[in-house]
Amino acid sequence: MTDRSEQPSMTFEEFRRSFYYGSRTDLRFKFLASLPDDAAADAVARILRTVGQACDTGDWDAVQDAVIAEQDAAYGPADPVEATVADAPFAPVRQPLPELPLALITAGGVFRRGDDPLGPDGPSQQEVLGREHVKRALSGPPSLSEISVDTPPAELTARHPGYDATSAHRDPNAVFPLDVLREVAETGGVSLASTHYGFVGATAQGRLRDRVAPEWAQRLLEAKVGAALLVAT
Amino acid sequence: MATQLRVPRVVITPHLMGHTVGPVGDRARQREVGDAALDLLTTAREPETVFALD
């Protein structure tokens, strides 16, 4: 058994910061790093309280609700966005949806297995949680993965340094609802473009706004896309 | 953040980060979110239209 008295002590600040690309990296709880000690302690206590109650009641939805509430409170509306936006362009839809080929675009890092944007030996989700990978994702240009409309969900995977993409491994529809849109299309509610797209939203936002997004928009226009549904994570 | 980005239309969902469209395996909720997005696409009449889904 480990003699705990020989281990260096850890402050609560070190503990909460360790969830943010540290020794306990967990992107569901990385928000703890941004909170003051008191607020983080209260958040942990509230979540643990619901876990304890769920052990008795079986109400695990309450645990999920508690985590959502803490994430929501931590990220809040006060944080300014990195790239300011001068205007809000708006194109009213003047045709029935089935006449506008719809493209799905996710910022959740979804791509087809066998078409890894980082090459055939691309890193795993766990591997991109290292600080070097995070830095590289934020500094390098994003790439747009193409996903054919008939791609089965089992052929999809995801990798992202900003959220826990293992959820998307279990069900890509959580951030890339292609199955959902195919359901709607089957009943004629929408017409789907032949190609859909994924990229990693954790990237330099100014470059995305000024250079990359206009290029991608041109690609969509050339593909005769009539409308786009963008899913953030 | 969605409002600061001044997007034309946005559906805000109260889900965990990384589960924007709905929980893993919850196709009914995912469909509800998808339907809301498509509905907003056709019904929004002005930029920065926000629909917050419960």
Side-chain angles (χ1 to χ4, degrees):
Chain A
M1 183 180 289
T2 305
D3 182 354
R4 292 182 183 277
S5 66
E6 293 177 1
Q7 295 177 342
S9 61
M10 169 180 277
T11 66
F12 184 72
E13 180 182 3
E14 289 169 335
F15 169 73
R16 62 180 177 75
R17 287 186 184 279
S18 69
F19 288 87
Y20 186 85
Y21 305 108
S23 59
R24 294 177 178 79
T25 296
D26 188 324
L27 301 184
R28 288 183 175 84
F29 298 101
K30 67 178 181 179
F31 66 85
L32 291 170
S34 64
L35 298 176
D37 279 353
D38 283 356
D42 288 344
V44 171
R46 281 190 290 265
I47 292 170
L48 288 178
R49 191 176 307 125
T50 59
V51 170
Q53 290 167 347
C55 289
D56 289 340
T57 64
D59 184 8
W60 294 98
D61 286 346
V63 177
Q64 178 170 285
D65 290 346
V67 176
I68 291 172
E70 300 302 342
Q71 283 186 352
D72 195 41
Y75 293 123
D79 296 338
V81 297
E82 182 185 335
T84 56
V85 180
D87 60 356
F90 185 75
V93 172
R94 302 191 191 284
Q95 296 164 261
L97 266 188
E99 295 178 14
L100 294 168
L102 181 82
L104 176 60
I105 309 169
T106 181
V110 175
F111 57 94
R112 282 188 298 111
R113 298 181 193 279
D115 186 32
D116 189 325
L118 296 182
D121 298 318
S124 66
Q125 171 63 22
Q126 189 61 32
E127 287 168 339
V128 297
L129 301 183
R131 288 183 185 273
E132 282 308 306
H133 278 288
V134 174
K135 204 180 296 180
R136 200 175 305 151
L138 292 174
S139 62
S143 62
L144 193 63
S145 294
E146 296 192 349
I147 299 164
S148 173
V149 67
D150 55 4
T151 305
E155 287 186 20
L156 294 173
T157 188
R159 182 181 51 226
H160 196 292
Y163 79 98
D164 188 348
T166 56
S167 300
H169 297 172
R170 298 182 187 107
D171 181 5
N173 290 282
V175 293
F176 185 69
L178 186 56
D179 285 332
V180 173
L181 293 180
R182 281 194 291 236
E183 276 181 12
V184 180
E186 281 175 9
T187 55
V190 70
S191 163
L192 297 182
S194 57
T195 303
H196 303 269
Y197 305 89
F199 72 101
V200 174
T203 187
Q205 301 297 294
R207 176 176 51 203
L208 185 66
R209 177 196 60 195
D210 297 335
R211 297 214 312 267
V212 177
E215 291 171 8
W216 290 354
Q218 188 59 38
R219 280 173 65 174
L220 266 61
L221 287 173
E222 290 169 4
K224 309 293 185 194
V225 167
L229 173 58
L230 174 63
V231 180
T233 52
Chain B
M1 180 181 288
T3 53
Q4 291 183 70
L5 289 171
R6 307 192 64 187
V7 291
R9 313 157 174 84
V10 63
V11 174
I12 298 175
T13 58
H15 301 150
L16 283 169
M17 175 185 281
H19 303 69
T20 320
V21 186
V24 167
D26 189 346
R27 180 58 60 80
R29 177 59 172 176
Q30 295 166 356
R31 177 65 188 261
E32 187 179 5
V33 171
D35 285 343
L38 295 175
D39 186 57
L40 188 64
L41 179 60
T42 55
T43 58
R45 293 287 173 261
E46 58 185 10
E48 301 178 77
T49 302
V50 177
F51 178 65
L53 203 61
D54 290 334

